Amino acid sequence: MKDFVLSQQYAVIALDGQESLHPSVSKSAVIRGIAAAKVLEEVVDTDEECRITDFVSKLNEAVELAKGLKKKEAKQIEKEMASMLEADGVLEEIPDILGCDMDYYTAGVELKAYRSDDDIYLRICEGLRAEILEDGVITAECAVLLWLLRESGCIHDLFSVAEQDKVQARMTEAASENEIFRVLWEAEFHSAVESFAGRFLRAKHDLFKNPYLEGVNLAFPYLERRKSIFIDFVIFGTDVKERRIAVMEHLSKMGHYVEEVKSGSETLIKVDHAYYRIFPTTKRSYKVPIQGANLIPVYW
């Protein structure tokens, strides 16, 4: 199986589920991360021991590039990385799950999203999780990948709240013993994303608050990457399982990989690489009640 450099590993994780045709706040954060990763892989993708002065220089360069990235440059970076991964069979474009929402598919709006190859996505994610959650040496590549995911708000897709506490503890310990990890973990570029998003979403969202984990103090910046959607269908005379099957069939027809996943006493559905809860509900359109179900993203 092909080995991927830092920026490609990061892109496989972070581009997954992102809109491909239109800009978004979360995708802007991801592209900034790819730009930073390309700079930092020059010092971490090597067999030679990295000197602190070399690393700090590249880190400063990466942060400044990410903070000052222009729209035209970001679009070019996205195009190049997506094309590279698509050529390797690692990334593809599929209908965005938002396109399964009643308001969008009835209006004929075309929405596309990136989906990473399942095997490669899991290999990279599980390798990262194993290294940071288990005792042992943390490599510079692992630390930088975690930092990139933290700064672009993607870390919540990989680690539960309890695991985030362990990630923070492990990196804090590593930073106390290694100067490279210390300067890395103190560096930030997400402030640029916060400023950008605030102009458009201030009235609707608290940018760094997870709306599905109210009351929980998250250790890392949060960006809402997943979407809640409403799917319309007749639910009279059906039980919970039948409604869940109806939702899964609709999503499958729209081009998604869908499966049931047991989580304690409840059953979730996994759509591509994201998990959702289903809630039967009624939505009104021009005062006409429409029966259906809401899909709400699950963050562990």
Side-chain angles (χ1 to χ4, degrees), residues 232-243:
D232 59 308
F233 55 84
V234 176
I235 64 173
F236 296 119
T238 61
D239 58 23
V240 173
K241 183 177 180 180
E242 289 171 333
R243 292 194 290 267

Side-chain angles (χ1 to χ4, degrees), residues 254-269:
M254 299 294 281
H256 297 278
Y257 299 145
V258 189
E259 62 178 301
E260 293 183 341
V261 177
K262 286 290 184 182
S263 177
S265 60
E266 67 177 331
T267 301
L268 307 177
I269 63 169

Side-chain angles (χ1 to χ4, degrees), residues 9-111:
Q9 292 182 56
Y10 168 73
V12 167
I13 297 174
L15 281 179
D16 182 73
Q18 293 288 346
E19 297 178 59
S20 59
L21 299 180
H22 308 287
S24 69
V25 174
S26 58
K27 187 167 74 171
S28 174
V30 168
I31 303 306
R32 292 175 190 276
I34 293 175
K38 284 179 171 291
V39 175
L40 288 171
E41 68 189 11
E42 296 175 21
V43 289
V44 299
D45 288 347
T46 175
D47 294 331
E48 299 178 8
E49 185 174 348
C50 181
R51 296 187 304 170
I52 181 63
T53 52
D54 294 337
F55 185 84
V56 170
S57 175
K58 285 297 181 182
L59 179 61
N60 290 336
E61 181 183 342
V63 168
E64 290 306 310
L65 177 60
K67 284 185 174 181
L69 196 65
K70 306 299 182 184
K71 289 183 179 180
K72 185 176 181 180
E73 296 168 336
K75 189 173 182 179
Q76 184 62 31
I77 289 173
E78 177 189 354
K79 181 179 178 181
E80 290 176 356
M81 180 57 72
S83 297
M84 184 187 305
L85 294 178
E86 286 172 352
D88 288 335
V90 180
L91 194 72
E92 62 178 332
E93 280 188 281
I94 62 169
D96 193 334
I97 190 171
L98 191 60
C100 297
D101 184 273
M102 182 187 73
D103 290 339
Y104 286 89
Y105 70 74
T106 56
V109 178
E110 183 182 23
L111 296 171

Side-chain angles (χ1 to χ4, degrees), residues 102 230-233 281-285 288-293:
M102 182 187 73
F230 174 81
I231 298 176
D232 59 308
F233 55 84
T281 188
T282 300
K283 185 173 183 178
R284 289 189 174 275
S285 179
V288 177
I290 300 173
Q291 302 289 335

